[in-house]
Amino acid sequence: MSDCYSFETKLLHNKHKVDPVTGGVSVPIQHASTFHQPSADTSGKYDYSRSLNPTREALEEIIAELEGGTRGFAFSSGMAAISTAFLLLSQGDHVVITEDVYGGTFRMVTQVLSRFGIDHTFVDMTDLVAVEQAIKPNTALLYVETPSNPLLKVTDIQAISNLAKKHGAYTFVDNTFMTPYLQKPLNLGADLVLHSATKFLSGHSDTVAGLAVVKNSELADRLYSLQNSFGAVLGVQDAWLVMRGIKTLSVRMKQSQENAVKIALFLKNQPLIKEVYYPGLKEHPQHALQNRQASGPGAVLSFELKSTEILPRFIANVELPVFAVSLGAVESILSYPAKMSHAAMPAAERQKRGISEGLLRLSAGIENADDLISDFEQALFAVKNSEYKEGVR
Ligand SMILES: *Cc1c(COP(=O)(O)O)cnc(C)c1O
């Protein structure tokens, strides 16, 4: 499709807009696991669905175009995509990885890769000097998540990619929080982009899926071979759900982000809230960097309550957001990183990273922002009231 169209238009008008066989305005779900071959010595494009399936292929082509890569790959979960990408490394390699990485990625690196002789160093990737100091002669990968989870620290993708190139290492970026609507890491020098498509890309809390997009064809061939070898491919029904979600990505992200901005501004003026972490706030330490490398701050923010004691009462009083793990859905999701996404991280490691027991993460949905703000207002009021009652008793 023509490159002259804007991102919003490309979400709908791409190579897979119309099924070439029937004219259907939706990609057909091809359930076949195996494909009839024409003869003993000729084989068709498709032979077995782990290796290639037309429905999954459509999603892989769509995400590759949106991220500006050469080839996309769809996996059965974000962790399947991330873990398969780590298999590009070999025994003896070393990884420099952002310290407040997703809990599942933390577990993969510390508990699995370590058993296969792949070593790692966690660093605060907002500190480029610390990143360079962590690089060793055997460093093969710089692994970035930006904005990070759950503290929304922003890493300079271009600077990290330059460092990686200088030291002959790859740069992988987990782009789950931003999606290609807001940020395109491959255009900033990254080699590989990863997604939990479970989140904003599918967007409706009804699919678990992962995606990877690769910049150059040599790396694409290697990742294809690993996808086929490891076999954690995405099923066709789920591939279809992700494609349907992607059609509305821009309107969902736009609305969710607008809501997040309003909520962040509201929360930062509340006496019961100690700190709001959101790259959309002027006082965020990497606000300018975020504006430079992405076209918006996204829809996820975190905030710290004044004390851990008031947290259960606050949670009990909030009515609209779902209290759950995950993010990136049409409904707002409030989660408790210490007990949810980062439960896989030992308490001491969490403390070191500033993930306190009073920290909550909000993924803003597409509800009316005023309703969400009123809800937080009444929950904070209920907390304040009970504090007051306990005080006078
Ligand atoms: C959810 C998430 C993952 C893991 O994806 P799954 O689809 O749950 O396997 C990885 N990275 C980030 C940033 C996530 O939010």
Side-chain angles (χ1 to χ4, degrees), residues 123-170:
V123 287
D124 174 355
M125 282 210 167
T126 62
D127 181 351
L128 293 170
V129 174
V131 175
E132 186 145 33
Q133 278 168 356
I135 295 175
K136 301 180 185 181
N138 61 337
T139 300
L141 170 64
L142 305 194
Y143 189 98
V144 179
E145 210 180 293
T146 182
S148 70
N149 183 11
L151 292 173
L152 287 303
K153 290 187 194 171
V154 180
T155 295
D156 187 335
I157 299 172
Q158 184 81 65
I160 294 287
S161 303
N162 291 346
L163 265 181
K165 285 194 180 79
K166 184 171 139 194
H167 293 273
Y170 287 129

Side-chain angles (χ1 to χ4, degrees), residues 5-219:
Y5 292 128
S6 57
F7 188 86
E8 291 85 345
T9 306
K10 279 192 201 164
L11 290 174
L12 300 152
H13 301 275
N14 53 49
K15 189 179 154 195
H16 299 285
K17 171 181 168 181
V18 173
D19 171 32
V21 177
T22 62
V25 188
S26 173
V27 173
I29 299 177
Q30 177 51 267
H31 261 285
S33 59
T34 188
F35 297 80
H36 177 67
Q37 301 302 309
S39 72
D41 44 28
T42 52
S43 53
K45 177 178 176 187
Y46 305 101
D47 59 7
Y48 186 61
S49 278
R50 170 164 36 74
S51 310
L52 193 64
N53 168 284
T55 309
R56 192 177 80 231
E57 184 186 27
L59 170 60
E60 292 176 333
E61 289 179 352
I62 288 170
I63 192 64
E65 188 192 2
L66 296 178
E67 284 285 7
T70 54
R71 193 155 170 193
F73 301 91
F75 296 88
S76 53
S77 68
M79 281 319 303
I82 292 166
S83 302
T84 305
F86 274 129
L87 296 181
L88 288 162
L89 302 177
S90 300
Q91 186 176 19
D93 283 348
H94 171 254
V95 183
V96 174
I97 183 163
T98 187
E99 67 179 355
D100 49 350
V101 74
Y102 177 73
T105 309
F106 176 87
R107 181 170 48 209
M108 180 67 195
V109 167
T110 56
Q111 293 179 27
V112 183
L113 295 184
S114 55
R115 289 195 294 109
F116 293 88
I118 297 169
D119 204 6
H120 60 268
T121 304
F122 284 105
V123 287
D124 174 355
M125 282 210 167
T126 62
D127 181 351
L128 293 170
V129 174
V131 175
E132 186 145 33
Q133 278 168 356
I135 295 175
K136 301 180 185 181
N138 61 337
T139 300
L141 170 64
L142 305 194
Y143 189 98
V144 179
E145 210 180 293
T146 182
S148 70
N149 183 11
L151 292 173
L152 287 303
K153 290 187 194 171
V154 180
T155 295
D156 187 335
I157 299 172
Q158 184 81 65
I160 294 287
S161 303
N162 291 346
L163 265 181
K165 285 194 180 79
K166 184 171 139 194
H167 293 273
Y170 287 129
T171 304
F172 293 179
V173 178
D174 183 330
N175 204 27
T176 300
F177 275 37
M178 291 278 97
T179 83
Y181 176 61
L182 296 174
Q183 176 170 280
K184 295 208 180 88
L186 298 182
N187 292 349
L188 297 167
D191 300 290
L192 193 150
V193 173
L194 293 156
H195 280 284
S196 169
T198 311
K199 317 292 167 57
F200 291 103
L201 291 174
S202 36
H204 295 73
S205 302
D206 57 10
T207 323
V208 173
L211 296 169
V213 181
V214 170
K215 182 80 180 176
N216 82 44
S217 55
E218 179 266 336
L219 195 61

Side-chain angles (χ1 to χ4, degrees), residues 255-256 258-260 262-263 320-321 330-332 362 364-376:
Q255 173 77 29
S256 294
E258 272 173 32
N259 287 355
K262 288 180 187 166
I263 294 166
L320 284 178
V330 284
E331 58 279 333
S332 293
L362 178 76
I366 64 170
E367 300 94 339
N368 181 300
D370 295 336
D371 288 342
L372 290 167
I373 289 170
S374 305
D375 188 28
F376 284 127

